[in-house]
Amino acid sequence: MAGPERVLVAIATLDRPVLLRRALLSLDNLRNPAGFVMHVLVVENRSPLTVETMIQGLQREVSFPLALHAAPERGISNARNLAVDYALRGGFDWLCFIDDDEEVDPDWLACLHRSAVQGGLDLAGGACLPVNETEPLSRGQRFLLDLMTREWRREAALLERALAGAPIAPVYLRTANWMCRVSALRRHNLRFLPELNHCGGEDCAFSEMAFGCGLKQGFAPEAMVYETVPASRLNLGYLFRRHRDAAIGDEMRHWLLKGRKYPLRLMAEALLAGGKGIAHLLGAPLLGRAALLRALIRFAICAGKFAWLTGRQSGHYLKTHGF
């Protein structure tokens, strides 16, 4: 008779010890029904380690097995691939990712696991909502956080609908709330692309490769995580840069998986994004405040596509925000 499935929850971290501790303590509050056992792996993307003492102290506080490993070569894909290798060597059934600036709902893992098992999924994801209860925020920062909450809820609803049937194109599941069947990783030798180490988008590339391999993907709407958005990220300049750099990363991902786009096509896409930004801006009086954020995102995408066209690359994730 088979025993409970073994789930590895991995967290890649760099320079956010306070938030990392909060993330780990939230995992200790999980309601864990029969059907699986949880282990946790922290991958610090540096060497020598700086959170070893904290992790050793936490191991005496939490109820789950907790391991720490260093990924010395800088880059988010490198850290995630170390977790993939750990899951494969350890004989785990499932590998999950959350980010080091997140806290999980008490039913997060149970909902994610149940959706994956009942749906026969190889790759599952859930929603992530922005929060900040750790710093005093100005009125403008609170306004932006409210807009982000609306937009992230909208994106989660679109993702859920896209995955409700049999998608005919890749649907991108973010590693902020992510679960993959380890046997599928082994069978298809799936890894995160190291070329996307510093610009991000490695999870989108993984979804695209998983789709190409025929993996079944799905969405677990009740599996919730909450990302602490620090005050340093709650300004229009940061939001513009983040989405501009994400657009550069999207073009790099397309180049790696499908080949570089023709310049005229890229220019047309950039102009279309800018046009949509103008439409959102003009429609804001009727569509509400969320249209302002969508306008900024479209303008940032336009800028990112033109930046890629001129040979610029993104190093967005070389800088860490948080504490």
Side-chain angles (χ1 to χ4, degrees):
M1 184 174 176
E5 292 190 307
R6 300 174 69 234
V7 178
L8 177 67
V9 178
I11 305 176
T13 189
L14 179 67
D15 296 337
R16 291 198 282 216
V18 174
L19 292 174
L20 173 63
R21 179 182 175 84
R22 290 166 62 95
L24 292 168
L25 289 175
S26 76
L27 290 172
D28 200 42
N29 292 327
L30 286 171
R31 288 188 275 266
N32 191 352
F36 66 89
V37 294
M38 181 183 75
H39 295 243
V40 176
L41 170 68
V42 174
V43 181
E44 188 173 8
N45 195 196
R46 68 160 71 246
S47 182
L49 295 165
T50 65
V51 297
E52 189 170 16
T53 301
M54 183 191 74
I55 295 297
Q56 289 172 349
L58 270 177
Q59 180 62 93
R60 294 189 287 269
E61 296 181 38
V62 298
S63 58
F64 49 79
L66 176 59
L68 171 66
H69 281 263
E73 187 177 352
R74 187 74 175 269
I76 187 63
S77 292
N78 293 334
R80 297 206 191 284
N81 284 334
L82 188 150
V84 170
D85 292 336
Y86 188 95
L88 289 166
R89 290 195 309 268
F92 288 91
D93 298 290
W94 298 93
L95 170 63
C96 296
F97 280 113
I98 62 169
D99 291 339
D100 61 351
D101 56 356
E102 294 176 353
E103 295 179 65
V104 301
D105 182 85
D107 292 314
W108 164 70
L109 190 53
C111 291
L112 196 57
H113 181 259
R114 182 172 62 249
S115 292
V117 171
Q118 292 180 353
L121 304 178
D122 299 301
L123 184 60
C128 177
L129 293 180
V131 296
N132 187 322
E133 304 300 333
T134 59
E135 300 173 275
L137 298 180
S138 68
R139 184 175 179 181
Q141 290 167 336
R142 182 62 62 182
F143 173 75
L144 284 178
L145 187 64
D146 290 343
L147 288 184
M148 288 174 63
T149 301
R150 290 189 187 188
E151 194 63 16
W152 290 18
R153 286 187 184 277
R154 173 178 169 271
E155 290 174 0
L158 291 173
L159 188 60
E160 183 180 1
R161 286 200 293 272
L163 285 165
I168 59 174
V171 178
Y172 302 122
L173 293 172
R174 307 284 183 178
T175 41
N177 185 351
W178 188 95
M179 177 180 241
C180 186
R181 196 181 296 271
V182 174
S183 61
L185 295 171
R186 179 179 290 108
R187 184 167 62 253
H188 298 287
N189 194 30
L190 284 168
R191 294 291 189 280
F192 294 90
L193 295 179
E195 294 88 347
L196 299 173
N197 261 325
H198 305 310
C199 65
E202 79 291 340
D203 44 8
C204 294
F206 188 97
S207 286
E208 196 159 340
M209 292 185 293
F211 179 83
C213 292
L215 270 62
K216 186 176 181 182
Q217 304 180 53
F219 192 77
E222 297 177 351
M224 299 292 298
V225 302
Y226 304 92
E227 178 181 322
T228 297
V229 181
S232 61
R233 286 170 49 191
L234 290 171
N235 61 79
L236 294 178
Y238 173 83
L239 291 174
F240 182 89
R241 291 190 300 274
R242 178 172 185 172
H243 289 284
R244 178 202 63 198
D245 291 349
I248 296 173
D250 285 343
E251 294 305 326
M252 179 176 280
R253 170 173 52 82
H254 189 282
W255 175 49
L256 291 168
L257 297 178
K258 298 179 181 178
R260 191 181 290 270
K261 295 176 184 175
Y262 289 112
L264 287 177
R265 175 186 171 185
L266 194 56
M267 290 179 63
E269 290 179 357
L271 292 172
L272 179 61
K276 288 182 177 179
I278 293 172
H280 284 305
L281 196 60
L282 294 176
L286 294 176
L287 300 175
R289 298 181 300 176
L292 297 173
L293 181 58
R294 292 174 199 162
L296 181 141
I297 291 171
R298 293 297 177 180
F299 291 140
I301 292 172
C302 175
K305 288 181 180 291
F306 276 119
W308 174 257
L309 189 61
T310 61
R312 179 171 176 173
Q313 296 191 11
S314 168
H316 187 85
Y317 286 95
L318 287 171
K319 181 177 180 181
T320 302
H321 288 261
F323 39 85

